[in-house]
Amino acid sequence: MSITKNSTALKIAAAFIGLAMAFSVLAPSTASAQTVDELTAQINSLLATIASLQAQLAGMTGGGGGGSSASVCPFAWTQDLTTGSQGPDVMALQRFLNSNPATQVAASGVGSAGNETDYFGGLTASAVASFQDLYAAQVLTPVGLTSGTGYFGPSTRAHMNSLCTTAPADDTAGDDTAGDDTADDTVAPGSGVTLGSAPQPANSIAPLGASRVPFTAFTLTAGSDGPVTINNVTVERTGFADNDNFAGIVLLGPDMELIGDSKTLNSNNQAKVGKKYVIPAGETHTFTIAGNRPSAAPGNDGQVASLSLVAVNTSATVSGSLPITGASHVMNETLTIGAAEVAVGPSDQDSNQTEEVGVTNELFAAVRITNTSSEEDIRVRSIRWQQTGSASDTDLENVRTIVDGVEYPAVVDGDFYRSTLGSGVVIAEGFNKEFLVRGDVVGGSGRTVQFDIEENTDIYVTGETYGFGVNPTEVEGGTPNGAGSQTTAS
């Protein structure tokens, strides 16, 4: 199909070029029948048509680069991006920029059409600046600028969204392109989401060192007209308690998976938790706001705290009543629960290596989790690795976590790879287990692979006796960060 399209475009362009040349030759002899201005206008019209066809041709061939780039539209960018940003929004941005030869990221190689990445580097910044210059009246003038900056900020985002929201998609229906965070590339975003209150956790205690203590549950239902993207939610600490009762606040998804990272409360007793999350059209998803207790006593034993949902941050219209407040838990500083320590595993050599693209079952990282408690056995329920190297998710396949010889596949969410460990892996008091992450390198020549455990909340552990979540701590002098840079080469 692409060969036929390219050939047709070339023939049409050639035909128009021939017509333009003919007009330029005939102009002197036909001046009596037509004014020079009329003839010039016709020639300019033809030249404009030629330029349009050449632009279409460049889009088909990737602007001379390696492969074609399907349109990302419809798509909505919801966050500012700048040099160093990473994620699916960056890849979508590069794909959109590559759809116009005037704003393409690169003519060939990395960043070119068909070779987009999820990393915002100098090439992307330059392409964004070109886009800003191209639409200066809509992007730059309103904010008092005269030339593109390369920063993908609110005005640039708004205009690109206006262009992309209604643009036709090139992908086949049902083709969910990896990394774009939409249920289907051809489905326009939904306009509304309904907020509801779910069955709430029971009032209880929140001991020191406990993690993911559930406070407030709620549901979100996307309308039938399309998927809805939730950017994050705003949580407010309420009740007669101090903010230092919490080491962090987290948002948990339908299967109690961690969405985004742990956030601390600000001076207004609030935190925005979660990350970009898509709810397919017509579906209802349940979420839980949870708190992580500090390991050291702040001296607030007996205080009672709640965590209320006060805002759902999305571009869709939210219907439903706020705030929603669930359980009120008593801060407890006397009960001793399980404990776990995390360190680099013995299989992790922590060295840079060079491997061929195509290597399988490659060890990316390893961590050792030790049960240091004398109170209870612990159960490791899930582990979330973050891939912080320059390789994209399409460069890796078959990523899984391995413990005791059992393999647990990883679910990919942008840079995160989360493995749910079945019913959980039990570690008895005083014992430890090593957790490995392995996978196949299928692409990304010259890129690096780096798997880390960025935060202790990325490992979900519960105690077997009391049932509370256990917040792992890092071994002093060690680090849960992974095996160093793993460079892949073609």
Side-chain angles (χ1 to χ4, degrees), residues 417-434:
Y417 292 73
R418 178 177 59 86
S419 293
T420 299
L421 308 177
S423 60
V425 176
V426 176
I427 305 177
E429 296 173 26
F431 288 84
N432 66 74
K433 290 184 182 292
E434 187 178 32

Side-chain angles (χ1 to χ4, degrees), residues 60-357:
M60 295 173 187
T61 60
S68 63
S69 179
S71 171
V72 70
C73 297
F75 188 90
W77 286 269
T78 58
Q79 57 184 331
D80 296 348
L81 301 170
T82 188
T83 302
S85 297
Q86 268 187 287
D89 277 13
V90 177
M91 183 170 287
L93 172 63
Q94 290 185 2
R95 290 177 64 194
F96 182 91
L97 292 168
N98 280 336
S99 67
N100 186 342
T103 62
Q104 66 182 8
V105 177
S108 61
V110 176
S112 64
N115 296 302
E116 292 89 353
T117 73
D118 64 353
Y119 180 76
F120 193 117
L123 292 175
T124 308
S126 178
V128 169
S130 296
F131 176 87
Q132 293 167 332
D133 290 336
L134 187 63
Y135 296 100
Q138 296 88 351
V139 174
L140 300 177
T141 304
V143 294
L145 296 174
T146 57
S147 60
T149 63
Y151 178 79
F152 189 72
S155 63
T156 309
R157 200 156 34 87
H159 190 62
M160 189 172 289
N161 281 338
S162 71
L163 295 175
C164 192
T165 300
T166 57
D170 292 338
D171 290 346
T172 303
D175 173 22
D176 185 17
T177 301
D180 69 359
D181 280 345
T182 58
D184 187 312
D185 293 340
T186 62
V187 179
S191 59
V193 61
T194 302
L195 170 68
S197 179
Q200 298 299 336
N203 297 337
S204 183
I205 62 172
L208 284 179
S211 71
R212 304 192 187 192
V213 179
F215 277 82
T216 298
F218 62 94
T219 63
L220 291 173
T221 303
S224 59
D225 61 342
V228 172
T229 298
I230 308 300
N231 298 322
N232 50 54
V233 300
T234 303
V235 176
E236 183 174 329
R237 193 270 306 152
T238 53
F240 296 101
D242 297 323
N243 287 348
D244 58 3
N245 284 302
F246 297 98
I249 311 298
V250 295
L251 181 66
L252 306 177
D255 62 352
M256 301 304 284
E257 80 276 15
L258 184 65
I259 301 176
D261 296 322
S262 172
K263 302 294 183 181
T264 56
L265 295 164
N266 61 22
S267 58
N268 294 322
N269 310 323
Q270 293 185 343
K272 289 185 177 180
V273 295
K275 58 171 286 187
K276 187 176 178 182
Y277 184 98
V278 176
I279 304 174
E283 291 191 10
T284 298
H285 289 198
T286 301
F287 302 87
T288 302
I289 297 167
N292 295 329
R293 291 277 279 141
S295 56
N300 301 329
D301 193 31
Q303 291 187 354
V304 180
S306 300
L307 295 175
S308 301
L309 174 70
V310 296
V312 177
N313 303 311
T314 174
S315 60
T317 301
V318 180
S319 58
S321 299
L322 286 169
I324 295 177
T325 303
S328 296
H329 294 318
V330 178
M331 302 297 106
N332 179 281
E333 299 180 357
T334 58
L335 178 65
T336 302
I337 64 173
E341 287 185 344
V342 184
V344 173
S347 299
D348 193 333
Q349 300 302 309
D350 195 23
S351 61
N352 297 336
Q353 302 178 51
T354 300
E355 297 287 357
E356 295 289 332
V357 170

Side-chain angles (χ1 to χ4, degrees), residues 341-345 348 350 364-369 383-386 435 437 450-459 472-484:
E341 287 185 344
V342 184
V344 173
D348 193 333
D350 195 23
F364 297 130
V367 295
R368 184 186 69 235
I369 301 176
I383 185 167
R384 186 176 74 165
W385 309 88
Q386 185 174 14
F435 296 74
V437 57
Q450 171 76 58
F451 275 83
D452 302 324
I453 301 295
E454 288 295 315
E455 298 187 11
N456 51 7
T457 51
D458 289 330
I459 302 175
T473 58
E474 180 183 335
V475 173
E476 182 156 359
T479 173
N481 288 350

